[in-house]
Structure formats: C-alpha cells, structure tokens
Amino acid sequence: SARLALLTPKPYRPGLAAGIEDLEGTRRFHSEYLVSGMPFEIMGVQSRMSLGYAFHVFTATRYVLDGGFGAFELSPWRAVATRVEYDSEKWNVGIGVDLGFGLRLRAAALNLETLSGGVGWFHEL
C-alpha cells in the first residue's frame, strides 16, 4: 500500500493525495483512490475531515474501497486521534496512538462490531 501527498493540507486549505492498496499482491483487497482532507479546530481540539473516491483503474478480484468514502477525526491530545469513517461499504470507529518515529498504533471496530488492530508507519520524503 502507498499514498502520495499531491498537495499538503493546511488550515483553511484542503490537501490532496492519491493512493493504492494491494498493487502487486493478491488483488483481493485492491483499491486506487483520490482523497482530500483538511485540518481544523473545534473549541481548541484538533480535528480533520476527509472525503475521497475510489476508482477502478486496475482489474481486481475485489475492491476494498468502491466509490465514495470519508472520515471525521478528533485529537483530544496530540498523540491520540479518534475516528468515525465510512469506507464505501460500512461504518467504522477507531483510535490511533502516535508511538513516535512515524509509528502509529491503531484499533478499530469494523462495521461497529468486529475488532481490528494494526501498526502503520509514516515517512516524509
């Protein structure tokens, strides 16, 4: 999976990114998409909203994202972010904790019922 930031988001100006999931793998969890998001504050609490659309550029067995999707995120503390999202198929809620060095620990309730977890890594080029 990879995502390339085409335009960095700033206060009062949305960013734009292009992404792809499972490009060379099984293509059972494949998606390619464009997403736009913007940070803002709600009563001093850092927040973020994003909207995107997944296209069918490559042939795949199944597309994880298929059409419109979006998310709303609140960060009550600098290292913690809570999220509500619609992934083009179901509603999910989750939390992410910044571990430092670009690592983020994540936990989610997919479709508001199935627990999931993972670790992600972010690196600016």
Side-chain angles (χ1 to χ4, degrees), residues 20-41:
I20 191 162
E21 304 286 332
D22 194 24
L23 176 64
E24 289 292 327
T26 63
R27 292 239 177 125
R28 291 183 61 227
F29 303 102
H30 182 72
S31 292
E32 55 275 335
Y33 58 89
L34 286 175
V35 64
S36 180
M38 187 167 79
F40 58 94
E41 285 187 22

Side-chain angles (χ1 to χ4, degrees), residues 26-88:
T26 63
R27 292 239 177 125
R28 291 183 61 227
F29 303 102
H30 182 72
S31 292
E32 55 275 335
Y33 58 89
L34 286 175
V35 64
S36 180
M38 187 167 79
F40 58 94
E41 285 187 22
I42 297 175
M43 297 188 307
V45 177
Q46 292 297 314
S47 306
R48 175 180 299 273
M49 187 166 167
S50 60
L51 294 171
Y53 193 84
F55 305 93
H56 292 192
V57 176
F58 301 108
T59 303
T61 304
R62 180 178 184 276
Y63 296 92
V64 173
L65 297 173
D66 191 5
F69 60 92
F72 178 73
E73 186 175 276
L74 286 173
S75 295
W77 302 280
R78 183 177 175 97
V80 177
T82 59
R83 169 179 286 211
V84 174
E85 67 180 19
Y86 179 72
D87 67 8
S88 77

